[in-house]
């Protein structure tokens, strides 16, 4: 069966649904305040037209006609978009809870589409205090999928819902280029599968944290054990990899939940800086800022 093409009306509502609900409500109010006075303004009663005035009169008539219908149509679209935004957030939370509490999270994750996988990862980071921007419609093998912001710093996320293939170094290298172009202080590449040794070696010391299927499972377990959102962290200083949880006096690794050890970066731009590293290193590369 052929897929029905979406109309401009559907596309507009979908775009609004990707925004926070309060932004759509604010747009509805602004559009009403702008268009309503134009729609209710009395038409010009001048009967004397100079040469060249006809175009202006016609444009004014068309603008008034647009305002007459738009004063109701645009706010209605914004309200529908706000409802879609609220419904989308609810579905994301339900999906995250479902995966986090599943007896076999890996199998549940494998059953998701690539869009649902990206939304799942975004919701997991949102619960850790990040604000999330979904770039949208990049496809299953697109570029940057999520933009994270916290304490005025930007992080990028690329999701690879690959069940059988390993994520290789070309993917991580291109992602590093995207980080430089976007001015991000760090980034995450998340996959439901695995990374090659070359990809891991390239990411080391480049502010890129690789989360594979095993790390993703631990992250989902963490969501189940900590249902409330993480408290904001102090303004972080970029380290060998971006922070993923709150630093404490004796923190536990946010990925494997093992105890952490103070380490000193030996190379790269952060050489000499101290950070908490997982005691399970190199099996686990989770870190926390000091």
């Amino acid at each position: 069966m052929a897929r029905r093409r979406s109309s401009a009306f559907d596309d507009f509502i979908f775009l609004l649904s990707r925004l926070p609900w309060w932004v759509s409500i604010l747009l509805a109010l602004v559009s009403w305040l702008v268009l309503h006075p134009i729609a209710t303004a009395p038409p010009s009663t001048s009967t004397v037209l100079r040469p060249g005035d006809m175009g202006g009169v016609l444009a004014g008539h068309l603008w008034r006609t647009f305002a007459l219908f738009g004063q109701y149509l645009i706010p209605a679209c914004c309200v529908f978009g706000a409802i879609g935004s609220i419904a989308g957030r609810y579905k994301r939370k339900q999906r995250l809870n479902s995966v986090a509490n599943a007896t076999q999270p890996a199998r549940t994750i494998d059953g998701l589409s690539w869009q649902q996988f990206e939304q799942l990862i975004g919701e997991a980071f949102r619960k850790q205090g990040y604000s999330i921007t979904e770039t949208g419609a990049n496809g299953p093998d697109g570029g940057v999928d999520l933009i994270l912001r916290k304490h005025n710093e930007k992080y990028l996320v690329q999701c690879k819902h690959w069940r059988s293939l390993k994520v290789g170094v070309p993917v991580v290298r291109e992602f590093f280029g995207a980080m430089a172009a976007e001015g991000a202080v760090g980034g995450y590449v998340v996959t439901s599968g695995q990374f090659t040794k070359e990809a891991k070696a390239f990411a080391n010391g480049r502010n890129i944290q690789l989360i594979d299927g095993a790390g993703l499972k631990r992250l989902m377990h963490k969501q189940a054990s900590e249902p409330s959102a993480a408290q904001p962290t102090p303004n972080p200083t970029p380290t060998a990899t971006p922070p993923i949880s709150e630093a404490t006096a004796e923190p536990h690794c946010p990925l494997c939940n093992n105890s952490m050890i103070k380490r000193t970066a030996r190379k790269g731009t952060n050489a000499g800086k101290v950070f908490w590293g997982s005691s399970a290193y190199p099996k686990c590369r989770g870190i926390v800022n000091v």
Side-chain angles (χ1 to χ4, degrees), residues 79-242:
V79 170
F80 283 126
I83 294 173
S85 177
I86 294 172
R89 282 296 310 277
Y90 177 77
K91 288 181 180 180
R92 285 164 171 75
K93 289 181 179 180
Q94 291 295 101
R95 184 176 295 118
L96 178 62
N97 292 334
S98 176
V99 173
N101 295 307
T103 55
Q104 294 182 319
R107 181 174 298 180
T108 305
I109 291 173
D110 286 344
L112 301 177
S113 67
W114 64 266
Q115 297 100 327
Q116 293 171 335
F117 181 70
E118 292 176 7
Q119 293 168 1
L120 174 71
I121 301 305
E123 191 62 31
F125 279 107
R126 183 179 281 111
K127 287 194 66 175
Q128 297 187 42
Y130 293 93
S131 63
I132 310 297
T133 300
E134 298 176 359
T135 60
N138 282 325
D141 293 313
V144 174
D145 299 305
L146 304 170
I147 300 175
L148 314 181
R149 286 184 173 84
K150 193 174 184 180
H151 305 301
N152 297 320
E153 293 187 328
K154 180 194 293 186
Y155 303 91
L156 305 183
V157 179
Q158 186 173 24
C159 302
K160 292 294 184 184
H161 193 18
W162 293 356
R163 303 178 181 89
S164 56
L165 298 177
K166 287 188 176 182
V167 179
V169 68
V171 171
V172 183
R173 185 182 291 113
E174 292 176 5
F175 180 72
F176 182 66
M179 284 171 46
E182 292 284 341
V185 300
Y188 301 86
V189 181
V190 186
T191 179
S192 53
Q194 296 178 325
F195 295 94
T196 63
K197 292 181 179 179
E198 293 78 9
K200 294 177 181 178
F202 181 84
N204 188 29
R206 285 186 168 88
N207 277 15
I208 302 175
Q209 184 162 324
L210 305 181
I211 302 179
D212 59 10
L216 188 57
K217 182 179 178 181
R218 289 191 291 268
L219 182 60
M220 292 299 104
H221 261 308
K222 187 174 185 293
Q223 301 302 324
S225 61
E226 297 181 11
S228 59
Q231 295 297 319
T233 62
N235 191 22
T237 300
T239 56
T241 53

Side-chain angles (χ1 to χ4, degrees), residues 12 16 23-39 63 66-67 69-79:
F12 183 53
L16 289 169
V23 174
S24 294
I25 296 298
L26 182 61
L27 290 175
L29 178 61
V30 170
S31 63
W32 167 262
L33 293 176
V34 170
L35 296 176
H36 182 67
I38 298 173
W63 177 241
F66 169 77
F69 293 97
Q71 64 176 329
Y72 303 111
L73 183 60
I74 295 179
C77 290
C78 292
V79 170

Side-chain angles (χ1 to χ4, degrees), residues 1-6:
M1 179 181 295
R3 183 181 177 183
R4 183 181 67 88
R5 295 185 60 185
S6 60

